[in-house]
């Protein structure tokens, strides 16, 4: 039915078809009065026309409406779409992943836009994780990857040895815990691996700057440690620190100041060589430990006898011992009531006997022109000696005599040294716990007295067993050929520094251009697309 009423809505004015009473669709020319409304709206680009679906009719009263864009069938009953003859394929997640990797395989776009994509210090694990000694060689390489031609001043390598000690400023009486850290530089070696040398002046007279081409450049280096005893690597909280670190620096020119990029600092663990000063022998022990007046067993003394063999020892060795401790009357406190004291001795038993390995540190520092010294001690190993006649699993004793024999395993990280500012030595501490059984109180509340004795412990890194009889005679008995001619001098007596050089091992300088086959390119692309793995 055609109608030229001016009250039609706009969307009906643009219709070019009408619906008749018999259900057929006829096309008519719109009224002349509405011909001035302009042409239909243009279709959006890349827009696909709607494909109508076929519907089945369940009633006879149906009206069809033609809008010029698509046909819609209206019915009062339920309608079901017919199956399409060529259905559109469904997109699955697997297909998306496959298409993504297919695009990555043929994608020539770089995975990063940074000018310097990589700048690292590469040291083999066999050197990074191993302890270095005098005479060893440290090898590695510096790897730099740039994505664009980059002008740079130089790539330099730094090897720094530094020690720090904490000493107390005795001149300041205001604070009881006024500790000051003092830093000392053992050595500071620098070497230019690429670019302008550090010894030259960076001016225009030196010519144009060198350019790093897009790609990955690897520059090997080697560090020769001299045969001198630098202090051992050590770190003790609020006490001292000795460390050896390597890092590389990339210097680029800037408008107002040069720009620098640093690699991560790699720490090298170093230990000096400590030669024995005498042949191995047994350490005889025959000491009397007296009590203190503050304890209930002040009139009791403990006599420790026996010995420790295989000294001097090497870190990690098993040291044999045979010790015996017994209580006796302190002769200094003998009075007229000697019988009473004798009765008390029988009631005093040695419950436990322990052996401690103590690390002693002595720090020296110069503060305000004055030399200060600070001493530290720390128990690094403890062993409770098992009585000889005790039951299995029982470590306590109930008699006045305590005897034990066996072996003690020394720690592996023991190395003495003396660097003037810091000195490390070791000692043995033997403790005996004496308990008075005559007390009427409970076992847990009985007063306990601890008797302690100290003795030096000589540790070396070279076993005395490596010296034969002739070497022992020359090193220990002959005054002209003593141990000082064998032992390495400390660093403060031998002015020798590490030698840093370019190359020096089987790795050679290499360059890989910046493309899809570059290892850095592949690694960055893999990290960027980890969500698809």
């Amino acid at each position: 039915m055609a109608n030229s009423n001016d009250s039609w809505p706009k969307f009906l004015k643009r219709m070019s078809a009408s619906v008749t009473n018999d259900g057929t669709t006829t096309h008519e020319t719109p009224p002349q009065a509405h011909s001035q409304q302009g042409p239909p709206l243009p279709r959006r680009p890349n827009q696909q026309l709607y494909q109508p679906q076929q519907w089945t009719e369940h009633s006879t009263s149906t009206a069809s409406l033609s809008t010029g864009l698509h046909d819609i069938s209206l019915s009062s009953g339920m309608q079901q779409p017919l199956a399409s003859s060529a259905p559109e394929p469904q997109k699955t997640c697997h297909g998306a992943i496959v298409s993504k990797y297919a695009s990555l395989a043929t994608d020539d776009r770089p995975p990063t836009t940074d000018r310097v994509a990589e700048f690292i210090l590469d040291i083999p694990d066999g050197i990074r994780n191993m302890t270095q000694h005098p005479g060893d060689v440290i090898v590695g390489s510096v790897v730099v990857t740039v994505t664009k031609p980059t002008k740079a001043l130089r790539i330099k390598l730094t090897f720094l040895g530094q020690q720090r000690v904490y000493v107390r400023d005795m001149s300041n009486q205001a604070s009881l815990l006024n500790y000051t850290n003092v830093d000392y530089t053992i050595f500071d070696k620098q070497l230019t691996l690429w670019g302008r040398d550090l010894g030259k002046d960076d001016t225009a007279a030196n010519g144009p700057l060198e350019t790093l081409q897009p790609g990955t450049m690897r520059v090997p280096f080697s560090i020769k440690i001299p045969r001198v005893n630098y202090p051992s690597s050590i770190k003790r909280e609020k006490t001292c620190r000795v460390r050896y670190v390597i890092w590389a620096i990339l210097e680029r020119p800037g408008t107002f100041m040069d720009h620098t990029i640093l690699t991560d600092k790699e720490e090298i663990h170093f230990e000096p060589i400590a030669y024995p000063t005498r042949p191995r022998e047994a350490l005889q022990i025959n000491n009397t430990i007296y009590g203190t007046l503050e304890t209930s067993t002040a009139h009791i003394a403990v006599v420790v006898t026996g010995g420790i063999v295989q000294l001097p020892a090497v870190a990690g060795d098993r040291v044999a011992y045979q010790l015996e401790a017994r209580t006796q009357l302190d002769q200094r406190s003998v009075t007229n009531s000697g019988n009473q004291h004798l009765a008390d001795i029988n009631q005093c038993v040695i419950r436990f006997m322990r052996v401690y390995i103590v690390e002693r540190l002595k720090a020296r520092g110069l503060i305000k022109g004055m030399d200060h010294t600070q001493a530290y001690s720390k128990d690094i190993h403890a062993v409770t000696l098992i009585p000889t006649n005790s039951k299995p699993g029982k470590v306590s004793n109930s008699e006045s005599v305590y005897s034990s024999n066996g072996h003690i395993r020394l720690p592996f990280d023991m190395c003495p040294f003396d660097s003037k500012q810091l000195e490390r030595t070791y000692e043995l501490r033997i403790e005996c716990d004496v308990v008075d059984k005559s007390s009427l109180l409970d076992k847990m509340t009985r007063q306990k007295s601890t008797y302690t004795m100290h003795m030096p412990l000589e540790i070396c890194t070279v076993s005395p067993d490596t010296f034969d009889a002739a070497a022992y005679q020359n090193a220990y008995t002959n005054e002209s050929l003593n141990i000082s001619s064998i032992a390495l001098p400390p660093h403060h007596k031998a002015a020798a520094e590490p030698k840093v050089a370019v190359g020096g091992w089987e790795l050679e300088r290499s360059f890989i251009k910046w493309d899809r086959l570059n290892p850095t390119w592949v690694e960055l692309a893999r990290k960027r697309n980890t969500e698809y793995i």
Side-chain angles (χ1 to χ4, degrees):
M1 59 179 186
N3 192 358
S4 60
N5 193 357
D6 293 339
S7 62
W8 280 10
K10 292 184 178 181
F11 76 94
L12 291 178
K13 293 179 180 180
R14 306 180 66 90
M15 295 181 182
S16 60
S18 61
V19 182
T20 60
N21 294 331
D22 55 358
T24 61
T25 304
T26 60
H27 297 272
E28 297 181 357
T29 304
Q32 187 68 23
H34 301 283
S35 62
Q36 301 298 329
Q37 297 298 328
L41 294 177
R43 189 170 65 244
R44 294 181 181 179
N46 300 330
Q47 181 180 7
Q48 297 181 359
L49 293 179
Y50 174 75
Q51 299 295 334
Q53 296 179 344
Q54 299 181 6
W55 299 81
T56 58
E57 299 181 0
H58 294 274
S59 63
T60 57
S61 60
T62 304
S64 300
L65 178 62
S66 177
T67 61
L69 297 177
H70 50 268
D71 297 336
I72 301 177
S73 298
L74 303 178
S75 63
S76 60
M78 298 297 296
Q79 302 174 356
Q80 297 180 355
L82 296 177
S84 178
S85 59
E88 185 178 357
Q90 297 290 337
K91 293 184 179 181
T92 61
C93 181
H94 177 72
I97 295 177
V98 172
S99 61
K100 182 64 179 181
Y101 276 108
S103 62
L104 289 176
T106 58
D107 191 4
D108 292 335
R109 295 175 300 175
T112 179
T113 59
D114 297 337
R115 181 178 292 272
V116 181
E118 182 185 32
F119 185 54
I120 60 174
L121 182 66
D122 186 13
I123 297 180
D125 293 338
I127 296 179
R128 182 192 296 109
N129 302 330
M130 297 295 292
T131 300
Q132 305 300 318
H133 300 279
D136 291 347
V137 179
I138 303 173
V139 298
S141 60
V142 177
V143 182
V144 56
T145 302
V146 296
T147 61
K148 306 172 184 177
T150 304
K151 292 184 178 180
L153 293 173
R154 66 181 63 87
I155 298 176
K156 66 179 182 180
L157 185 73
T158 302
F159 185 30
L160 175 65
Q162 188 181 41
Q163 62 179 348
R164 170 179 294 181
V165 295
Y166 291 83
V167 294
R168 182 178 176 183
D169 187 3
M170 303 301 297
S171 61
N172 188 0
Q173 302 296 334
S175 176
L176 297 178
L177 299 176
N178 186 18
Y179 289 89
T180 305
N181 58 302
V182 183
D183 293 336
Y184 297 94
T185 300
I186 303 174
F187 55 80
D188 187 4
K189 296 294 295 183
Q190 297 183 0
L191 176 67
T192 301
L193 302 179
W194 178 90
R196 294 181 178 177
D197 192 2
L198 290 172
K200 298 181 180 180
D201 186 17
D202 294 332
T203 58
N206 293 327
L209 296 176
E210 297 189 31
T211 303
L212 292 171
Q213 298 300 325
T216 300
M217 182 177 65
R218 181 182 293 268
V219 183
F221 65 87
S222 62
I223 301 175
K224 173 70 174 179
I225 302 178
R227 290 189 58 81
V228 297
N229 276 334
Y230 294 115
S232 176
S233 300
I234 183 177
K235 183 178 181 181
R236 299 291 183 265
E237 188 68 23
K238 295 299 181 181
T239 301
C240 63
R241 185 191 67 184
V242 179
R243 64 172 186 169
Y244 303 89
V245 291
I246 305 175
W247 72 93
I249 303 175
L250 172 62
E251 296 183 3
R252 297 171 52 198
T255 304
F256 300 101
M257 60 183 300
D258 295 341
H259 303 286
T260 59
I261 303 176
L262 279 70
T263 63
D264 295 335
K265 295 184 178 181
E266 294 287 348
E267 189 165 350
I268 302 299
H269 190 272
F270 178 85
E271 280 190 0
I273 298 177
Y275 284 92
T277 58
R278 55 184 175 87
R280 273 183 171 171
E281 59 185 7
L283 176 63
Q284 299 294 332
I285 300 174
N286 188 5
N287 291 356
T288 301
I289 311 172
Y290 298 99
T292 58
L293 298 177
E294 292 79 7
T295 61
S296 61
T297 59
H299 60 283
I300 301 298
V302 177
V303 180
V304 180
T305 58
I308 300 177
V309 299
Q310 299 177 352
L311 293 180
V314 181
D317 284 354
R318 296 175 72 245
V319 179
Y321 69 90
Q322 184 174 0
L323 298 174
E324 179 180 312
R326 66 181 183 273
T327 59
Q328 70 176 18
L329 181 64
D330 189 355
Q331 299 297 328
R332 302 177 304 175
S333 62
V334 174
T335 59
N336 295 330
S337 58
N339 295 332
Q340 180 66 27
H341 288 303
L342 183 59
D344 293 340
I345 291 176
N346 296 329
Q347 297 296 328
C348 294
V349 299
I350 302 176
R351 298 288 292 175
F352 297 98
M353 190 174 182
R354 301 181 182 88
V355 176
Y356 294 87
I357 299 178
V358 185
E359 177 189 63
R360 301 192 66 88
L361 297 171
K362 186 177 181 181
R364 307 178 184 91
L366 192 65
I367 303 177
K368 300 179 182 179
M370 299 180 60
D371 191 9
H372 298 270
T373 304
Q374 190 71 32
Y376 303 91
S377 63
K378 179 184 178 182
D379 298 342
I380 60 176
H381 192 58
V383 178
T384 300
L385 305 184
I386 301 177
T388 305
N389 300 325
S390 65
K391 297 179 180 180
K394 186 178 181 180
V395 296
S396 61
N397 183 42
S398 59
E399 300 178 359
S400 59
V401 179
Y402 196 112
S403 61
S404 176
N405 58 75
H407 294 82
I408 300 176
R409 173 72 71 177
L410 300 179
F412 288 90
D413 56 347
M414 300 176 63
C415 183
F417 65 88
D418 185 7
S419 64
K420 279 191 173 181
Q421 288 77 27
L422 185 63
E423 181 182 0
R424 179 166 68 177
T425 57
Y426 300 93
E427 71 174 14
L428 280 175
R429 185 176 82 247
I430 301 177
E431 291 185 356
C432 299
D433 294 345
V434 179
V435 178
D436 186 5
K437 292 177 61 177
S438 62
S439 175
L440 299 178
L441 300 178
D442 188 72
K443 293 182 179 180
M444 302 301 295
T445 59
R446 288 175 181 172
Q447 187 173 3
K448 178 185 66 175
S449 303
T450 302
Y451 292 75
T452 306
M453 61 171 293
H454 302 264
M455 62 185 65
L457 176 62
E458 184 177 351
I459 300 296
C460 55
T461 59
V462 178
S463 175
D465 299 336
T466 58
F467 293 92
D468 54 9
Y472 271 123
Q473 182 178 2
N474 295 333
Y476 299 105
T477 60
N478 192 348
E479 296 181 357
S480 61
L481 298 174
N482 53 21
I483 194 65
S484 61
S485 62
I486 301 177
L488 299 180
H491 73 282
H492 55 83
K493 293 186 179 180
E497 294 185 349
K499 297 181 180 179
V500 186
V502 180
W505 58 305
E506 60 271 13
L507 186 65
E508 298 180 355
R509 179 177 295 189
S510 60
F511 179 82
I512 303 176
K513 65 178 181 179
W514 182 247
D515 55 9
R516 291 189 300 111
L517 300 180
N518 189 288
T520 305
W521 182 304
V522 176
E523 183 67 19
L524 294 177
R526 186 189 64 83
K527 292 181 179 180
R528 190 183 64 177
N529 298 278
T530 54
E531 64 272 12
Y532 296 101
I533 297 178

